[in-house]
Amino acid sequence: MESDAMFHMWQSRMVPLMYDAFYHHHLHWPTQACRWGATQSSDQYKKRCQLFYSEQTDNSEPQKLIVASVDVFKPRVCSAEVVSEWRESKTCPHIRESKVLYHPGEVNKIREVPCAPHVLVTHTDSPELLVWNTDTQPDRGRAKAGPRAEPNKCDLRLVGHKDLAEFPLAASSAQPLVASGGRDKLVLVWSLADALSGVLAGGGGGGGGSGGKAGSGGGGGGGTLAA
């Protein structure tokens, strides 16, 4: 077909002219959230970075939060053949999933905590924010799971919103602070400083319990932290 020929021409001739590298990573489900994480290593030709993304399912299987690493090639390293060799129906060999978490609800937003690269905060269709210690969370893998599969338990819940908090989400690059906006017309801020020496430093994955006000020593033990 003419459209296939035009696509192949664009892929083989134009993509290498426009990009130093071009990755195409095919997923079974669409993703609604994607974030770069910390740089893990670097050499003469490439650097390896963390990548976090979601898979939004139709609830016939669990919603997913995925931790991966990506080899990012530096400018003028890849040949034209390498840049144009991707296929729409294939996964990218330079993107390697290291952990799959079953998320309780759709992942609407992901934010990494810059001063603690292993910590993620997510928004779902809920007033609460979910905090994840990706170093200690169990890997659920890619085996087929049904809709009744138990989701991973977050390490900490950030509470305070009185209505849904679905999308506005930010983390400070200077301090372990998380900010969130919700339908309750509030912007709330939490400090994770105490939790980073407790549940978010290791031994997480639990649930239950209760915490105190932000910065007052609450939030340990995989419980809740109020704004």
Side-chain angles (χ1 to χ4, degrees):
M1 294 177 63
E2 183 180 355
S3 59
D4 293 336
M6 292 294 292
F7 176 81
H8 179 71
M9 182 181 298
W10 171 81
Q11 181 182 13
S12 61
R13 298 183 183 181
M14 296 303 298
V15 170
L17 291 176
M18 294 186 293
Y19 305 104
D20 288 304
F22 191 100
Y23 297 169
H24 187 285
H25 192 59
H26 180 78
L27 298 171
H28 183 67
W29 299 101
T31 180
Q32 187 164 294
C34 184
R35 290 286 294 184
W36 286 107
T39 299
Q40 298 172 308
S41 63
S42 181
D43 59 31
Q44 181 180 356
Y45 301 107
K46 66 181 184 296
K47 60 181 180 179
R48 179 165 293 178
C49 302
Q50 278 190 311
L51 182 68
F52 308 107
Y53 54 93
S54 66
E55 280 192 354
Q56 183 180 352
T57 75
D58 62 358
N59 291 318
S60 62
E61 58 183 86
Q63 306 290 334
K64 297 180 181 69
L65 176 62
I66 297 163
V67 182
S69 63
V70 185
D71 288 333
V72 181
F73 290 96
K74 295 182 178 180
R76 295 176 294 279
V77 168
C78 294
S79 67
E81 290 76 17
V82 170
V83 176
S84 62
E85 70 180 356
W86 54 272
R87 296 293 179 267
E88 285 189 295
S89 60
K90 303 294 184 180
T91 58
C92 175
H94 307 301
I95 300 176
R96 301 175 182 87
E97 295 180 355
S98 56
K99 191 170 285 191
V100 177
L101 279 59
Y102 291 174
H103 194 273
E106 294 180 0
V107 182
N108 295 332
K109 205 81 163 187
I110 302 170
R111 284 294 179 268
E112 73 288 352
V113 178
C115 62
H118 62 288
V119 175
L120 295 182
V121 186
T122 59
H123 264 175
T124 186
D125 297 331
S126 166
E128 299 179 343
L129 284 68
L130 308 181
V131 186
W132 306 91
N133 184 338
T134 61
D135 281 350
T136 58
Q137 281 287 330
D139 178 19
R140 307 298 289 273
R142 279 293 188 178
K144 182 72 172 180
R148 295 186 179 181
E150 188 73 18
N152 286 54
K153 294 181 179 179
C154 67
D155 296 277
L156 193 62
R157 292 180 181 268
L158 305 183
V159 301
H161 282 296
K162 305 302 181 185
D163 203 341
L164 295 181
E166 300 159 297
F167 295 104
L169 181 61
S172 170
S173 60
Q175 299 183 53
L177 300 175
V178 175
S180 166
R183 295 191 187 184
D184 52 7
K185 303 178 182 179
L186 296 175
V187 174
L188 302 181
V189 179
W190 295 263
S191 171
L192 302 181
D194 292 325
L196 288 175
S197 60
V199 66
L200 297 181
S210 62
K213 294 291 183 180
S216 67
T224 60
L225 182 61

